Amino acid sequence: MFDEKGERYLDCINNVAHVGHCHPEVVKAALKQMEVLNTNSRFLHDNIVEYAKRLAATLPEQLSVCYFTNSGSEANDLALRLARQFRGHQDVITLDHAYHGHLSSLIEISPYKFRKGKDVKKEFVHVAPTPDIYRGKYRENHADPASAYADEVKKIIEEAQNRGRKIAAFIAESMQSCGGQIIPPAGYFQKVAEYVRGAGGVVIADEVQVGFGRVGKHFWSFQMHGKDFVPDIVTMGKPMGNGHPIACVVTTKEIAEAFSSSGMEYFNTYGGNPVSSAVGLAVLDVIENEDLQGNATRVGTYLTELLNRQKAKHTLIGDVRGVGLFVGIDLVKDRQKRTPATAEAQHVIYKMKENRVLLSADGPHRNVLKIKPPMCFTKEDAKFMVDQLDGVLTVLEEAIGAQTESVVPENTPCRTKMPKEAPSELLSDGTPDPKENPGQKRNRLCADKPSLLSKRLKT
């Protein structure tokens, strides 16, 4: 990315620009269709049919009916309507710290949001523990964390049924993003699906942030949990249009037919319009033609290796987790207690921005550095980012008196106690000059310096 002065930034968090900012093939497809026709989706057009076919081909056979929307929030809202209409149930099970959108219906099932407001949890909402084996209720030393976390969902179902309530849906991101880059343990979703379907509910996989090849080996993140796990409804958005507003809900014929039998027709004025569909098709083409799934696997593996070396060096790094180009760095003040290093994480973000690297933090404690870059992220980009992070952490740990020598094995908790905050004023010196950054190309699509932007860069 470039600011209004032409300064170059390495974007490590923009999962919306999925195939790269302003990819020429995507821009060309949008322009070409705009010059011909863009109209209300009530008018039939070949693009939406072709795109639905292409999209369904990436999914398990039973997921075959597409409803196009404009955003992930619209998609998740529609998914709830589908689930509730299916058997007439109302209750929803969601994960703690989850975020599924900004509509009222979604804030109600997003603990990430509703616990920040004054609204109390609605009676039809049930919150299950996040399947986090690093700092959750059941950790990596548990004999079977997948079953333990799934049993928590089973208890919720039983308690709800004892009160006469009926479960409509269990909704979760295939990998929880806002919750802190959480990778659920293998087998978790299969067990949850068994319990939920046994109660007459459906399973909604939210792929709004993690779909379209981000995990590398699979096109959809839910697929990495095994062929024996197929959601009843999949929602998608953000990367779908590379920044263009397009999203979708894909479900089974059985659920779609139950929805249409209600007599309430679903219609979306712009969902799947000719331009949006053309953009979506172009994104699929780029993913395939540039082998971006393979790139996610190769670069993601390399990035994780580099970060694990940093973990052995820096006591602030408590955990490195991720799949493909979906990686989280859990910063801690104390490795044994796993105390979240919230202030330190914010400091790292600001210093990395000064070094022309864009990062962000998430998780319930805002201490997990999240890495979800465009899929064209290269090994050179990964090396540059990690080198800058190494420099920032080195200065930070020296400033707060942390031990930075590589004396702690990777899996051994660190007993070094650290101050509660990392005062930024201590770090005014010693930060590498951002102008000394190597002049390597940050995006294979941008060989020349772009024209200056009219607005200041925001993060």
Side-chain angles (χ1 to χ4, degrees):
M1 294 180 71
F2 299 80
D3 66 11
E4 78 282 8
K5 296 179 181 178
E7 295 287 350
R8 182 162 48 194
Y9 289 79
L10 177 61
D11 184 358
C12 300
I13 53 173
N14 203 327
N15 59 322
V16 175
H18 193 62
V19 299
H21 290 279
C22 308
H23 193 293
E25 292 302 315
V26 178
V27 173
K28 184 167 65 176
L31 176 61
K32 181 179 179 180
Q33 186 58 51
M34 280 287 283
E35 290 179 331
V36 178
L37 175 71
N38 197 29
T39 186
N40 188 313
S41 296
R42 197 176 290 279
F43 295 97
L44 300 181
H45 193 275
D46 287 345
N47 281 3
I48 191 171
V49 178
E50 178 61 23
Y51 188 48
K53 288 180 180 178
R54 289 278 300 276
L55 206 55
T58 68
L59 291 157
E61 186 177 359
Q62 55 266 56
L63 294 169
S64 58
V65 181
C66 301
Y67 295 87
F68 289 96
T69 66
N70 302 295
S71 69
S73 290
E74 281 191 357
N76 281 331
D77 177 74
L78 177 57
L80 289 182
R81 289 176 57 192
L82 289 165
R84 285 170 167 157
Q85 177 62 34
F86 186 46
R87 290 199 172 96
H89 299 179
Q90 291 298 312
D91 287 26
V92 177
I93 301 174
T94 186
L95 294 179
D96 205 2
H97 313 306
Y99 173 67
H100 294 291
H102 63 80
L103 301 180
S104 298
S105 62
L106 302 173
I107 291 176
E108 290 175 343
I109 64 165
S110 297
Y112 182 81
K113 287 292 184 182
F114 71 59
R115 291 190 177 177
K116 294 182 179 179
K118 296 180 180 179
D119 295 336
V120 296
K121 181 174 69 67
K122 299 293 192 296
E123 189 178 6
F124 60 81
V125 177
H126 311 277
V127 180
T130 301
D132 178 0
I133 62 171
Y134 179 67
R135 61 171 68 254
K137 186 174 182 179
Y138 308 107
R139 299 187 175 182
E140 71 276 6
N141 57 356
H142 190 280
D144 187 0
S147 294
Y149 278 116
D151 284 345
E152 294 286 338
V153 176
K154 184 180 180 181
K155 291 176 188 175
I156 287 174
I157 293 172
E158 292 172 347
E159 291 171 0
Q161 290 176 330
N162 289 338
R163 300 198 309 272
R165 306 201 66 87
K166 297 180 179 180
I167 303 299
F170 168 86
I171 184 171
E173 290 181 278
S174 304
M175 300 187 295
Q176 197 176 21
S177 183
C178 290
Q181 308 295 91
I182 306 301
I183 315 297
Y188 171 74
F189 281 119
Q190 284 89 335
K191 295 177 184 296
V192 167
E194 177 186 344
Y195 300 145
V196 171
R197 289 167 181 159
V202 302
V203 176
I204 303 171
D206 182 339
E207 294 265 341
V208 171
Q209 297 206 59
V210 297
F212 290 86
R214 180 159 293 279
V215 296
K217 292 183 179 179
H218 303 283
F219 199 83
W220 302 103
S221 295
F222 73 79
Q223 292 172 320
M224 74 179 187
H225 298 289
K227 291 183 179 180
D228 57 339
F229 171 63
V230 178
D232 303 291
I233 301 173
V234 176
T235 60
M236 52 195 77
K238 293 184 190 299
M240 196 171 180
N242 211 54
H244 183 88
I246 178 173
C248 190
V249 179
V250 186
T251 189
T252 64
K253 288 183 179 180
E254 184 183 11
I255 292 175
E257 288 171 357
F259 184 61
S260 62
S261 68
S262 68
M264 184 183 292
E265 177 191 5
Y266 176 75
F267 175 68
N268 189 308
T269 303
Y270 300 112
N273 68 72
V275 172
S276 294
S277 297
V279 167
L281 286 165
V283 170
L284 292 180
D285 287 340
V286 173
I287 292 173
E288 181 178 350
N289 295 338
E290 297 187 9
D291 187 27
L292 294 186
Q293 273 188 256
N295 187 67
T297 297
R298 292 185 294 272
V299 178
T301 299
Y302 177 68
L303 173 60
T304 302
E305 290 173 354
L306 293 179
L307 290 174
N308 277 319
R309 293 176 197 167
Q310 294 301 312
K311 176 184 172 183
K313 178 179 180 181
H314 296 288
T315 55
L316 272 171
I317 298 179
D319 189 39
V320 174
R321 52 183 176 263
V323 181
L325 288 175
F326 179 92
V327 180
I329 308 170
D330 200 311
L331 299 186
V332 296
K333 296 178 181 180
D334 185 306
R335 280 191 180 177
Q336 185 177 28
K337 296 179 180 179
R338 304 187 181 185
T339 312
T342 301
E344 290 81 355
Q346 299 309 308
H347 178 84
V348 168
I349 290 168
Y350 295 139
K351 285 298 178 182
M352 289 293 280
K353 183 181 176 183
E354 290 179 9
N355 290 2
R356 305 291 191 265
V357 178
L358 303 180
L359 283 175
S360 185
D362 232 321
H365 307 288
R366 306 286 299 179
N367 70 305
V368 180
L369 300 179
K370 59 180 180 180
I371 304 172
K372 290 182 293 185
M375 295 275 282
C376 56
F377 206 68
T378 66
K379 287 185 176 181
E380 291 75 21
D381 294 330
K383 180 68 164 57
F384 178 77
M385 187 276 287
V386 173
D387 285 347
Q388 299 306 306
L389 181 63
D390 180 23
V392 169
L393 289 177
T394 297
V395 174
L396 176 57
E397 289 176 337
E398 288 175 353
I400 58 180
Q403 299 296 320
T404 58
E405 292 84 358
S406 304
V407 295
V408 183
E410 183 176 328
N411 296 319
T412 303
C414 174
R415 293 172 173 75
T416 303
K417 294 187 177 181
M418 299 173 64
K420 293 182 179 180
E421 294 187 357
S424 58
E425 62 271 14
L426 294 177
L427 299 158
S428 57
D429 296 318
T431 303
D433 185 350
K435 294 182 180 179
E436 294 177 357
N437 292 349
Q440 59 201 37
K441 185 163 61 176
R442 293 279 160 254
N443 187 321
R444 71 180 98 181
L445 306 174
C446 302
D448 301 318
K449 189 173 181 179
S451 58
L452 300 183
L453 304 179
S454 59
K455 295 183 179 180
R456 293 190 60 82
L457 178 111
K458 302 288 186 181
T459 59

